[in-house]
Amino acid sequence: MGGAPLPLLETPRLRLRELTAADAPALLAIHGNAEAMRWYGADPLPDLAAAHALIELFAGWRRLANPGTRWGLERKADGALLGTAWLFNWNRGWRRCTTGYELAPFAQGEGYMREALTAIFKWGFAQMDLNRIEAQIDPRNEPSLRLARKLGFVEEGLLREVARWGDAQHDLLMLSLLRRDWLATGC
């Protein structure tokens, strides 16, 4: 990472790629939807300009001291942007990073995010030499918790009032996926 081009990843149904300015309307449809963003950890985007700024912010992650990589999830069948998924806050010395993801409501329940995260985690363990991937998930977000557990994440504890959005403090569950657990799944 560190400013390098975003690696293109492919799965049977998805192309995981760099977000571009052309993705701003689809990103706004997801990030501007208050209901879709209730678990995300940020307030909804107000307009298209904010979606463009978000795309620039994500691209800038690769230039940070503790870089991050955020892929757009494009459905191969029709080119639709379904959401994003990422690895960020990479601590090379500790061999750990954090993951996150969001998916458009119309694409939920189809297995797209599991497919995408499987490819991303495989890449992260191999290319970033990770030993640990962390996820912080709102304890009320049952679909995300189910997905994390299916991928092998283990709950470690509750982070009390660790996040703030929507003018309120929120608790998040800390979960982690270790390299040895990932390898044991056969992925």
Side-chain angles (χ1 to χ4, degrees), residues 133-145:
I133 299 174
E134 298 174 352
Q136 295 179 7
I137 301 173
D138 190 298
R140 298 166 296 172
N141 188 348
E142 282 300 322
S144 187
L145 289 169

Side-chain angles (χ1 to χ4, degrees), residues 23-83:
D23 295 317
L27 200 62
L28 178 60
I30 298 167
H31 286 254
N33 179 328
E35 179 65 17
M37 295 300 290
R38 72 186 183 280
W39 311 121
Y40 180 71
D43 293 323
L45 293 180
D47 54 34
L48 196 57
H52 282 287
L54 195 59
I55 290 168
E56 290 301 315
L57 175 73
F58 297 157
W61 282 3
R62 292 195 309 279
R63 294 185 295 273
L64 298 174
N66 294 322
T69 299
R70 190 165 189 146
W71 287 269
L73 282 53
E74 177 185 298
R75 186 167 47 202
K76 288 180 178 179
D78 60 6
L81 182 74
L82 305 180

Side-chain angles (χ1 to χ4, degrees), residues 16 19 31 37 39-41 58 61 68-73 83-89 96-103 112-114 116-118 120-121 130 133-138 141 144 147-148 151 153 172-173 175:
L16 284 59
L19 290 165
H31 286 254
M37 295 300 290
W39 311 121
Y40 180 71
F58 297 157
W61 282 3
T69 299
R70 190 165 189 146
W71 287 269
L73 282 53
T84 71
W86 58 94
L87 297 173
F88 69 104
N89 198 23
R96 62 150 294 277
C97 72
T98 305
T99 190
Y101 43 87
E102 90 282 330
L103 197 61
Y112 289 118
M113 192 54 71
R114 184 174 183 175
L117 291 175
T118 298
I120 289 169
F121 296 165
L130 294 172
I133 299 174
E134 298 174 352
Q136 295 179 7
I137 301 173
D138 190 298
N141 188 348
S144 187
L147 172 61
L151 290 166
F153 280 81
L172 295 175
L173 288 173
L175 298 97

